[in-house]
Amino acid sequence: MIIAGFLAAVAAFAGAVWWYGYVSALAQLDQRARSDLALASDSLTSELRRFRELSVLTADHPQLRAVMDGAAPAASLRPVLQEIADKTGALDIILVDLDGDLLVATEEAPNVDHAGRAYFERALDGALGFYHLYSESYQRRAFVFAAPVFSEQGPVEGALVVYADIEQVEASWRGARPAVFFTDQRGVIFLSNRSELVFRSRIGEPVQDLEYPQGSVAPFVRYTEGLVSGYEVWDVDGGRYLPARALHLTLDLPVIGMTGEVLVDVAPARKLASLQAAIAAAVCLAFGMLLLVVAQRRRTLAVLNAKLERRVQDRTADLQALNADLRREVAERKAAEQRLQKAQDELVQAGKLSALGQMSAGISHELNQPLTAIRSFAENAQGFLERDKPQVAAHNLGRISELARRMGRIISNLRAFARQEDEPPTNVDLSEVIDAVLEIVGPRAEQTGVTLHWTRPDAPVIVRGGEVRLQQVVLNLVSNGMDAMEDSDPKNIFIDVMQTAGRTTLSVRDTGPGIAEPERIFDPFYSTKAVGAAEGMGLGLSISYGLVQSFGGAIRGRNHADGGAVFTVELDAVLQEVAA
């Protein structure tokens, strides 16, 4: 009974220590989460404030005043608005009259009826109006600012409407931690650094409105609220990119009519509290064991003093051995964590080097042929010089220079592909990425009898991403297609690029047996290849999924109706005039 009571007291004390450590850690997480949410909110409002000031300043532009007074034609204002939009990054700038009809706009302005809209009516009242919406014309989310245009006599005679691209605003912090999202007055998430949360309703039934795409508003992820010492903690069932248990905070942003919210993972706080409780329990148990040993010694000291001493010595030796084992286990776990971290950092690089290793035979053949030809041309040139035929020798030297450039191009592509890249997304020509990959896989395709079908577009295809990381994604898709067609006939790979409003889609299709389980193809270590095969461990598509997500894009895989598999990669497109 004494031992049972002591163990119960130790358990209660350890529980109290755990609770105190957990609450203390939550307090620190709360401070950091508030700072992160405030920083994200300030960043958002600062970006939108720039467009709000743009609308107010542009409404007083002399050229705009001349058009409203009838002193200048409306067409003379269009290049002015277009230049302002290009320099400030505005999605569009529109001048409308009192009825909401379009007067002057940039070249891409949609024909939208602004009459009756809250932001337009507020501008007609002489104040700055703003609102957020999803533009079907632009196929993207936007913030709208409407500034009143006053006449010389004073009354409002029109409004200047500025569209701000929300996807461009949130692109800089997409995928960052912690998960941050902004909801409007209707409870719909309009901005977030987690794309899967956009257009989810936080309250009640999903909202269906003209301000959102038809059928796009979905319920929020399943979660259960709870209070831990005054802190709101959620149990979330939201997939791999949201924490399972998170601290939830909110921040009102009346300037933009939204509420900022943040979900911070509390797993580190629970882990720290568990460690503190374990240490406290271990100390108490050790103290209790010491008291037990002392009591045993007092009761048996007169009769079994020697035996008791041996027992104490044996127990001490066991504790020392256990302590040594624990220290060794802790050291081994720390070493294992370091190795795991290093393996995670080098996983992407290892995938690229593995792909290069598979193609080493073909690449060696591609380099060996020019080397053999160079030696032959060099020997012939020497002979022609000895025969006093410098013109023929010069021709051979020109052939040698051409072959050397070819070898340099191959080596340059390999070196560019093999290097590690950790730069943020930039503007990349997708056509050049595909050309570099096809030049790398060309030798292997020729050896295995695979025909690569790729028609390069006449104009550059500029997208947002990383050149080396995009090369790895394309190489993984093409290599997987070649592996899948090992026992197929014919062996064809079709590569196509399609451009739509704001998005660019790359498709890679093979004529292999297709995908057995399409829903699992992006899971780590999932592979349909034989165990022990040299082609890989099933990480290529998982790596590609993470790389595409880091660019703000999407990757999908399915079976083609005519047979084989087809993978599509969607990336943000960049207008060629902006990229230039």
Side-chain angles (χ1 to χ4, degrees), residues 101-117:
D101 296 330
L102 178 68
L103 295 178
V104 184
T106 57
E107 298 178 357
E108 299 177 0
N111 188 11
V112 178
D113 185 12
H114 301 275
R117 300 272 182 138

Side-chain angles (χ1 to χ4, degrees), residues 132-133 141-143 166 182 188-191 198-199 212 258:
H132 61 278
L133 50 81
R141 291 164 288 147
F143 239 90
I166 290 301
F182 298 87
V188 177
I189 298 176
F190 192 69
L191 296 94
V198 176
F199 291 143
Y212 311 109
M258 291 191 175

Side-chain angles (χ1 to χ4, degrees), residues 75 84 194 312 317 338 357 388 480 547 575:
I84 295 175
R194 299 292 187 272
V312 171
Q338 294 176 356
D388 197 17
N480 284 348
L547 293 177
L575 298 180

Side-chain angles (χ1 to χ4, degrees), residues 164-185:
D165 187 1
I166 290 301
E167 296 183 8
Q168 183 179 0
V169 172
E170 71 181 6
S172 60
W173 41 280
R174 183 181 290 129
R177 290 184 179 181
V180 179
F181 51 92
F182 298 87
T183 58
D184 58 15
Q185 296 87 341

Side-chain angles (χ1 to χ4, degrees), residues 204-227:
E205 294 295 327
V207 178
Q208 296 297 338
D209 196 279
L210 296 177
E211 308 301 335
Y212 311 109
Q214 185 65 28
S216 64
V217 179
F220 193 64
V221 297
R222 293 193 300 271
Y223 70 97
T224 303
E225 298 183 6
L227 287 178

